[in-house]
Amino acid sequence: NAEIESREASKRTRLLRQAGFPAAKELDDYDWENVRMPADWQRSGLESLGFLDGPEDVVMFGPPGTGKTHLAIALGRKACRQGVPVRFYTAAGLVMRLLRANTEGKLDRELQAIAKARMIVIDELGYVPIDEEGSRLLFQVVTNAYEAQSIVYTTNIEFSGWGRVFGDPNMAAAIIDRTVHHGRMIRFEGESYRRTHALMQ
């Protein structure tokens, strides 16, 4: 039993390291005040990670500083501790990674590595515009994940503005189509936590 527990602990540690989380955020200290769940979906459905079984996508939409990234990281870390492989990327970081892999002739290997995760977090979608080649590569990730992996997006851009982000309305429409088919949107409201707790007032 001790040996099995040791292996499980090592696996959890490895999954947390491989996920690439930028910070150690947890659900225990999360403030749900700004979160507006869909009418047909309760908070327990999110915290239980039941959306991974679908698999379903989750779009966390709202202004900066309202807790989207914190929640996405906390859910991802919980998944890792349950033995679920997770990958965390900012949208800009993922696009740069894919572009570099494509240039070096290693795109297939990079896509295979991403495909091993059951949960992919794409953070800050819309903060940086994506060029045509980057959009095409990101679309490939979304297409590969469709009905096979859960993607959790955090964004401050409504679906109607995704065409500007991707620089191609058709590409954006195709990504939105796949996302809404098996996806749910969670809305975040309120003031920025960083602004209300800033040293510079």
Side-chain angles (χ1 to χ4, degrees):
N1 288 341
E3 185 176 341
I4 291 172
E5 177 57 35
S6 176
R7 282 202 299 267
E8 289 298 317
S10 297
K11 179 182 179 181
R12 290 192 293 268
T13 300
R14 175 172 49 80
L15 289 174
L16 284 166
R17 185 179 65 251
Q18 290 176 343
F21 298 116
K25 304 292 187 181
E26 304 295 348
L27 288 173
D28 293 341
D29 58 353
Y30 189 72
D31 182 359
W32 292 87
E33 184 179 354
N34 292 332
V35 183
R36 303 291 176 264
M37 299 293 295
D40 63 340
W41 203 39
Q42 301 301 314
R43 168 180 152 187
S44 58
L46 185 65
E47 288 187 287
S48 69
L49 304 177
F51 62 92
L52 296 178
D53 297 330
E56 299 173 354
D57 295 333
V58 177
V59 178
M60 299 183 178
F61 164 72
T66 49
K68 302 183 300 295
T69 299
H70 182 148
L71 184 55
I73 292 172
L75 292 170
R77 288 176 63 84
K78 181 176 182 179
C80 287
R81 285 194 291 270
Q82 293 184 3
V84 175
V86 179
R87 291 292 183 275
F88 180 98
Y89 309 97
T90 63
L94 176 57
V95 168
M96 291 299 295
R97 191 181 185 104
L98 294 169
L99 287 169
R100 184 168 60 248
N102 195 35
T103 300
E104 296 173 354
K106 300 176 181 178
L107 181 61
D108 287 344
R109 185 189 306 176
E110 187 66 37
L111 291 173
Q112 287 171 4
I114 295 171
K116 291 178 181 178
R118 280 183 57 200
M119 176 179 174
I120 304 169
V121 179
I122 301 179
D123 191 35
E124 299 182 345
L125 181 69
Y127 286 62
V128 179
I130 302 171
D131 65 15
E132 183 178 348
E133 186 179 3
S135 295
R136 180 179 59 79
L137 293 172
L138 188 56
F139 176 69
Q140 201 163 342
V141 171
V142 174
T143 299
N144 292 349
Y146 180 60
E147 297 189 331
Q149 300 162 280
S150 289
I151 301 181
V152 176
Y153 299 90
T154 76
T155 181
N156 64 342
I157 306 292
E158 293 192 75
F159 282 144
S160 60
W162 282 29
R164 295 193 307 274
V165 175
F166 291 99
D168 182 341
N170 293 328
M171 188 80 69
I175 290 175
I176 292 168
D177 185 61
R178 284 160 176 76
T179 302
V180 301
H181 185 209
H182 299 298
R184 303 173 188 270
M185 177 176 285
I186 301 172
R187 295 180 179 272
F188 291 70
E189 302 171 351
E191 291 291 319
S192 166
Y193 177 88
R194 289 183 289 271
R195 189 177 303 148
T196 56
H197 292 77
L199 292 176
M200 188 183 297
Q201 298 287 355

